[in-house]
Amino acid sequence: MGGGFDLRLEPWIPVRLGTGETVRLGLRALFTRAHEIEDLQVPVPPAASGLMRILASLTGRMAADGDEFLDDAGIGENIDEWHDLRDRILKAGRFDPEAVNAYFAREDLEGRFDLFHPERPFLQDPRLRTECVDAKGAPNASGVNKLVMGRPTGINGAVLFGHFTDTAPVPVPAAEAAWHLIAQLYYGPSGQCTPRRITGERTGSTDAAPLRKSVSYFPWGPDLFTTLVLAVPSPQTEADWETDDACPWEAETLIDPLGPVPAVTWPGGMLTGRSRHAALLVPSPDGRTVCDAYLTWATHEKPQQVRDPYQVLDPRRDGEFQPREADGARALWRDLDSLLLKDSRDSSRRPPALEHLPRWLLPQLRVRAYGFDQDGQQKDSVWYQATTPPVLRWQEENDTAMAHHIKRCHALAEQTGDRLDYAARIAWKVATDANTDLSPTAKVKIDARKPGPWAAAAMTRYWPAAETAFWQLTRTGQATEQVARPFVDAALAALDDALGQVNRADIRVARARQRARGLLLALLRPAPANA
């Protein structure tokens, strides 16, 4: 019995083939043709980030060398044996079609990949039809606009990417609904949600999804097969090795929303089993579009604690670590030092997925970032996707000098950016406050609440130029000592652009410019020798 949209067969995942052609594939074709696929083309980065975790789980089930599978817990007990198996799978160059077909043809999974299955819809909970009801017992759906990220909902919802209203919801194609379902389960909001009545109490609040406001980093190979095999996380000590690993679509029963949360198992449970939201899509009569949806809480139990394999951990003031938050204004190259350098207690920790990569593959490996700039509750700002050039050959354990050169370049770019921001604020104060002492040695006190327009304008110009300088400094793959000058030159040009043409400036602006340039040029002076 099926609901008419089988994700194994329906073309719902956009990809770019090695030939340059863009096509959509179902899960079965995606795995059998993974070696022909150059890249994923999912236009919703948070959906792509969640999809990569789902695909990595499936890869663990299907990637094999003979009768040894990549998700074999027995092999996972010995990390060297597991790495050796991964190398042999990578060198095979493709998934075995028989292994792919054998997994998707499993009798116990019949209907589990159907987006609209009446009993086990993919990644959904059919009980919401009767549990999300109003005071009179009538269905109380959340609306399709709530499902589709970027659409405004409610009375005060902001219009971000389209004009939709709750009074005239526009159905979304089933393929796109699958993307947004995944995005909601991994990046959904916290706080008030559609109430769900299970006992006599009708509760309408939920926790944030496990990836909310975070950024994920994946090693990215020359084809999707390589990318997916490298995305399978290495065995982790946090996993529960006494419990059989199962993804939500493989579990015998649906999760009990009032019971304990499932144990974190490797790799499927870790990547796909930590949802805090429950969802149910309502299809159109022909099953080709989604016209309504339920979104509510899945559990109120304490979330499982596990290290996500694709996140950088940054130190907090209390000595603990937290996932790096996504920042839509921050370019990917500014994170490179955290991706290349080994971990240490007093700095950021590299994602486990970037550890122990096959040395023979490093010259071909890039890094793909998927980020969603959000707050912890309901506000979504911007999502983004970025990919580096092949930089992983410069990881510290492979090329120590280059890794530290990149760290130094990044540190000087950040230092220069901070100095430019300060210098532009000083310049605005000098130019606009008649009471400011203009003597060169006088200390200028700036008001943080009145930064003036020059700082923001200068920073907007600086970062793209700094990125160009950064890649020029790393282009040859050779470390150099001449690092500071390109960033200072970029900052000086950004400052001049922000302040305007010289011939249009009055004397106070000219003095302000000179003061700000002096602050920037001071970065080029040699550091004083220690006494």
Side-chain angles (χ1 to χ4, degrees), residues 403-416:
H404 284 274
H405 172 62
I406 287 174
K407 177 184 180 182
R408 185 162 175 256
C409 291
H410 168 244
L412 281 167
E414 296 286 343
Q415 181 184 5
T416 307

Side-chain angles (χ1 to χ4, degrees), residues 8-79:
R8 297 172 301 179
L9 306 175
E10 295 282 355
W12 65 285
I13 305 175
V15 300
R16 185 176 68 246
L17 302 176
T19 59
E21 181 185 6
T22 298
V23 298
R24 289 193 181 198
L25 301 174
L27 286 170
R28 190 194 299 267
L30 182 138
F31 278 95
T32 54
R33 301 182 63 184
H35 58 289
E36 304 173 24
I37 298 170
E38 185 174 303
D39 205 351
L40 289 176
Q41 296 277 280
V42 180
V44 183
S49 177
L51 178 62
M52 278 298 298
R53 286 166 168 83
I54 294 170
L55 297 179
S57 299
L58 292 170
T59 299
R61 303 287 192 259
M62 291 180 269
D65 179 48
D67 59 355
E68 295 182 330
F69 284 79
L70 205 52
D71 68 344
D72 188 323
I75 297 176
E77 290 178 353
N78 185 316
I79 192 64

